Amino acid sequence: MKLSSPLSLSRRLAVPTVALILAGLTATACAPSTSDNSAKEDDKSGKLRVWLFQEVDNKPKQRVVDGVVSAFEKKHDGVKVDVTYIPIDTRAQKIKAAFNDPKSAPDIIEYGNTDTAGYVEDGGLADIGKEFGAWDESANTDSTAKNSVTVGGKVYGVPLFVGVRALYYRTDVFKDLGLEPPTSQKELIATAKKIRERRPDLYGISVGGAYTYGALPFIWANGGELATEKGSFGSNEYEAAIDSADAKKGIKSYTSLITDDNCPPAKCAQWGGNDSVAAFAAGKSGMTIGGDFNHQAIEAGSVKGKYAVVPLPGVKEGSIAPAFAGGNNLGVLRSSTHRSLSIDLLEQLAGKKTQAKLYDAMGFLPTFTDVRGDIARKDPFVKPFVKTLDTSSTFVPASPGWSAIDSQLVLPTMFQQIISGRKSVDAASAEAAKKMDEAFGK
């Protein structure tokens, strides 16, 4: 199974939100780099400290982790593992503090995959490229996931799970109106407006002006980019491309959905991803763009048993729009005095068996193509998401500046200016590009 190569990703770099990709990362991205806290020793005994993210329902995740830890401690006599679950929304401050205080820092951390470049810039993560390359299971890591732990050609972690979006649609509404799932972007827009016209009690497709990761596939599908890498591949220097001709085609396409004949601006201009999915789950829309990670929320809504999922279509009929591959990674801190033990535990926590168990426990999609394929054969629901990941997924620019761009709502502001009519697509995208370049420059 092939994904975009690292080179093609650099040419077309762009970007959940999964719970891991939240606002409030500016402190990580813009803070000065920490001093060199690289450990000079590699103890083979003692205590390993691990920080993982606290989930809303953490018990299933904890059971999986406890099993891995128990087996690890039996394998390494005299070694103890202390696992702490930290809140996701305060992780930036806590992890930054750990980078600056090696004595209280953990050996291993879980982190959102858009945090990688910022944490590398801060000097917090260890380069484990040699060990990653020697790990036999790494051969089946999909290239987009590997790209999420790679900065400047060096590997700073191991992918733990991935999430991606696709098109949810109401099977009962489509049947009543004699509609078929759209197979192109043009058809998607027409179908949405047809639903709204014939069922004015529904939004054709629930979308929002603040739904960055729902909007970006429209930009990528039209050949647009968020940014392009300056200089040679791996330079990690970027310049904005959101104001390019192709990007503007995608911006126009997406914003055409936040209109009175689909999702009225008075309601939808301020919506983010959660709002859009919630409207669908509550039976208020015919379609929405949602992730595999939204499945439980939709199942808990009034549309249970009355929906299906297909890949979000691209511009050409039968194509799939590129989608952002969000997710979480695990990394070893540069300050760890237990490098060898930490990497061994890292590989157990993010290995194939554990990722399969985390899917069963939490619904987290594995980053290994073979494990993901096995799951798709057993669970038809995930097939559209796996197909999207396997054929048309991408990632953010590997720059600390991306966190600032995301948390400062540069793109939502652009979309909302256009939706409201305050600015044209040309003017709004030019302003967004200027702000992006300022963030990349810092």
Side-chain angles (χ1 to χ4, degrees), residues 126 133 262 285 328:
N262 175 58
S285 67
N328 283 12

Side-chain angles (χ1 to χ4, degrees), residues 54 295 361:
Q54 176 90 33
H295 189 207

Side-chain angles (χ1 to χ4, degrees), residues 16-22 55-56 161-169 206-207 211 213-214 272-282 287-305 307-309 324 326 359 362-365 381-382 385:
T17 348
V18 190
L20 48 139
I21 301 171
L22 304 171
E55 308 297 333
V56 175
F161 68 84
V162 67
V164 73
R165 290 172 174 77
L167 181 69
Y168 286 78
Y169 70 96
S206 49
V207 289
Y211 193 3
Y213 300 102
N274 289 341
D275 303 300
S276 303
V277 170
F280 181 83
M287 298 180 285
T288 197
I289 301 167
D292 56 279
F293 42 87
N294 293 128
H295 189 207
Q296 290 184 351
I298 291 174
E299 278 288 288
S302 63
V303 298
K304 182 175 182 178
Y307 69 90
V309 186
F324 167 66
Y359 175 77
M362 304 294 296
F364 295 161
L365 279 178
F381 167 77
V382 304
F385 302 101

Side-chain angles (χ1 to χ4, degrees), residues 27 51 72 90 135 178-179 194 215 268 339 353 410:
W51 286 0
F72 182 83
T90 59
W135 184 30
L179 301 172
K194 189 175 293 184
C268 306
R339 180 185 174 98
K353 290 182 179 179
V410 172

Side-chain angles (χ1 to χ4, degrees), residues 201-323:
D201 57 315
L202 298 175
Y203 307 116
I205 179 170
S206 49
V207 289
Y211 193 3
T212 300
Y213 300 102
L216 292 181
F218 290 77
I219 294 171
W220 297 331
N222 280 277
E225 304 172 352
L226 283 178
T228 54
E229 194 167 8
K230 297 192 294 185
S232 60
F233 174 66
S235 68
N236 300 320
E237 294 183 4
Y238 294 88
E239 59 185 357
I242 195 67
D243 57 346
S244 69
D246 287 338
K248 286 188 284 191
K249 290 179 186 176
I251 294 169
K252 290 177 182 177
S253 183
Y254 182 73
T255 54
S256 74
L257 290 169
I258 307 178
T259 52
D260 288 336
D261 57 357
N262 175 58
C263 205
K267 189 75 174 180
C268 306
Q270 302 302 318
W271 277 3
N274 289 341
D275 303 300
S276 303
V277 170
F280 181 83
K284 297 179 181 178
S285 67
M287 298 180 285
T288 197
I289 301 167
D292 56 279
F293 42 87
N294 293 128
H295 189 207
Q296 290 184 351
I298 291 174
E299 278 288 288
S302 63
V303 298
K304 182 175 182 178
K306 297 182 288 188
Y307 69 90
V309 186
V310 294
L312 186 68
V315 173
K316 294 182 180 179
E317 186 173 347
S319 66
I320 298 175

